[in-house]
């Protein structure tokens, strides 16, 4: 069965420090992986995705993610965190046949302190 | 472009009442879907559609009904609301061109409380 795991409910980081939000997946076949961010009382915003090619994917707002096939991971990273990065982050994998059905992780709350 | 819009923003229902959550997109996307978001559970797929007249069930379809008469609109109907349907509902849409690689765009959500 397809699944996505985000092992940390919350990640706390000081502003200016690097941040990592972890995601592991289990899918049959090639994975199509996504990161979304949700600010309070807002919808989900797309950050980045991995389909194929370079294992390091760059996305919006300075975020990047590294696809690691052997560890079945797709961790989200940013070299220098901002207070405004504080939000709920979701990892997702597309599992549907030819269309776009997503399975989401439970989400990780990122808190960046000044 | 307005993107994906949802109405209402917030709704309170009594058990047994029915209602329709509206979703519209102006990007000419073939694919549309409904998710519910519950604390600690991420988002779960309720129903989806790959074009007008074509709908299918997702992971948690019970108690919900959908139809797709136009490309733009994809309403979600609660036939007889139950407290277990208290949740935040998100509509999303995307092209089908890249299949599983297409990016889905989400609406702002509808917060539903069933008493």
């Amino acid at each position: 069965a397809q699944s996505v795991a985000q092992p940390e409910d919350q990640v706390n980081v000081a502003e200016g420090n690097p941040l990592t939000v972890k995601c592991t997946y289990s899918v049959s076949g090639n994975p199509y992986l996504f990161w979304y961010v949700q600010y309070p009382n807002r919808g989900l915003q797309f950050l980045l995705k991995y389909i194929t090619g370079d294992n390091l994917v760059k996305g919006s707002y300075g975020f990047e993610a590294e696809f690691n096939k052997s560890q079945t991971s797709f961790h989200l990273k940013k070299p220098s965190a901002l207070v405004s990065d504080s939000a709920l982050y979701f990892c997702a994998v597309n599992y549907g046949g030819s269309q776009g059905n997503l399975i989401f992780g439970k989400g990780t709350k990122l808190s960046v302190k000044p | 472009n307005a993107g994906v819009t949802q109405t209402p923003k917030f709704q309170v229902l009594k058990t047994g009442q029915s209602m329709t959550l509206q979703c519209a997109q102006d990007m000419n996307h073939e694919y549309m879907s409904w998710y519910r978001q519950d604390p600690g559970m991420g988002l779960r797929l309720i129903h989806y559609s790959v074009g007008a007249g074509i709908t299918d069930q997702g992971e948690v379809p019970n108690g919900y009904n959908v139809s797709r008469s136009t490309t733009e609109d994809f309403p979600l109907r609660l036939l007889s609301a139950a407290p277990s349907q208290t949740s935040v509902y998100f509509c999303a849409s995307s092209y089908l061109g890249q299949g599983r690689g297409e990016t889905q765009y989400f609406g702002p959500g509808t917060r539903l409380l069933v008493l």
Side-chain angles (χ1 to χ4, degrees):
Chain A
Q2 331 286 352
S3 65
V4 175
Q6 293 181 243
E8 301 154 318
D9 291 334
Q10 181 155 346
V11 170
N12 298 312
V13 177
E15 187 174 31
N17 283 0
L19 70 87
T20 299
V21 182
K22 296 179 180 178
C23 172
T24 59
Y25 65 90
S26 174
V27 299
S28 55
N30 293 326
Y32 291 70
L33 297 157
F34 299 77
W35 276 103
Y36 285 85
V37 60
Q38 184 181 31
Y39 297 101
N41 299 314
R42 303 285 296 274
L44 276 70
Q45 295 181 27
F46 169 74
L47 279 179
L48 51 80
K49 65 182 177 183
Y50 173 83
I51 301 176
T52 186
D54 195 348
N55 289 345
L56 185 63
V57 179
K58 294 189 182 296
S60 306
Y61 313 121
F63 283 93
E64 57 189 29
E66 186 169 10
F67 171 67
N68 188 316
K69 188 173 183 178
S70 62
Q71 297 185 5
T72 62
S73 66
F74 189 55
H75 300 332
L76 182 70
K77 300 181 180 183
K78 188 174 182 181
S80 180
L82 299 172
V83 172
S84 57
D85 292 329
S86 298
L88 188 57
Y89 290 81
F90 289 98
C91 182
V93 63
N94 190 300
Y95 73 95
S98 59
Q99 68 272 353
N101 294 344
L102 294 173
I103 288 181
F104 284 84
K106 295 182 179 181
T108 298
K109 183 178 180 182
L110 174 66
S111 177
V112 183
K113 299 295 186 185
Chain B
N1 282 352
V4 180
T5 58
Q6 292 183 237
T7 56
K9 284 185 168 49
F10 179 69
Q11 183 73 45
V12 179
L13 288 179
K14 293 181 180 178
T15 297
Q17 287 184 318
S18 63
M19 79 160 295
T20 299
L21 281 64
Q22 301 291 346
C23 174
Q25 51 90 11
D26 61 358
M27 297 173 281
N28 204 29
H29 286 166
E30 302 96 338
Y31 178 87
M32 296 186 74
S33 56
W34 278 100
Y35 294 86
R36 60 178 288 174
Q37 182 182 22
D38 301 295
M41 300 187 72
L43 279 77
R44 293 179 292 168
L45 182 66
I46 304 172
H47 284 286
Y48 66 95
S49 168
V50 297
I54 306 170
T55 64
D56 206 345
Q57 297 179 352
E59 180 186 356
V60 288
N62 292 342
Y64 307 96
N65 199 3
V66 293
S67 60
R68 182 119 178 250
S69 57
T70 68
T71 299
E72 295 78 18
D73 301 298
F74 190 45
L76 178 72
R77 297 181 186 85
L78 281 70
L79 304 175
S80 178
S84 61
Q85 294 179 303
T86 294
S87 188
V88 182
Y89 292 85
F90 290 100
C91 180
S93 72
S94 73
Y95 292 112
L96 282 177
Q98 288 188 10
R100 294 165 61 197
E102 284 291 349
T103 299
Q104 291 191 29
Y105 296 92
F106 284 78
T110 293
R111 189 174 297 271
L112 177 67
L113 175 61
V114 182
L115 301 175

